[in-house]
Amino acid sequence: MPRQRLWLEHRSRQLEDGHPREVQARIGLVLAGGKTALAKHLKEGQRVRVGGFLSRAGYKGEARDRLQLIVETLEPLD
């Protein structure tokens, strides 16, 4: 089954206990099978809406503690 891996980066400003806070996070995206076509026309830095489910990145060592998102939907916003 064809697989493609991308990185999703989130940046926002949130309120934490009434104080503004810059939030940044990065998570691996995994597209499998026919879902790989969803990323065909994406450009680096482009805003997207993504849906799917969380999974471990692996079962040994540090990978067991990392999350990845298995993509079911991917929609460009720009």
Side-chain angles (χ1 to χ4, degrees):
M1 176 183 312
R3 294 174 64 91
Q4 184 174 5
R5 186 170 176 88
L6 305 171
W7 288 99
L8 177 71
E9 187 171 323
H10 167 84
R11 294 181 195 171
S12 66
R13 176 173 276 157
Q14 303 293 323
L15 284 179
E16 183 177 11
D17 198 23
H19 301 283
R21 176 180 175 199
E22 296 290 326
V23 177
Q24 294 184 5
R26 195 173 143 167
I27 187 168
L29 301 181
V30 177
L31 294 90
K35 304 288 187 209
T36 59
L38 295 174
K40 190 175 181 178
H41 301 290
L42 292 180
K43 296 180 179 118
E44 187 173 333
Q46 185 174 9
R47 292 181 43 175
V48 296
R49 178 175 291 129
V50 62
F53 60 91
L54 294 173
S55 173
R56 287 183 184 176
Y59 292 94
K60 294 182 181 179
E62 290 182 19
R64 166 180 81 191
D65 296 327
R66 284 195 319 263
L67 293 176
Q68 61 186 8
L69 184 70
I70 308 302
V71 176
E72 293 181 337
T73 61
L74 182 64
E75 174 188 352
L77 296 178
D78 293 337

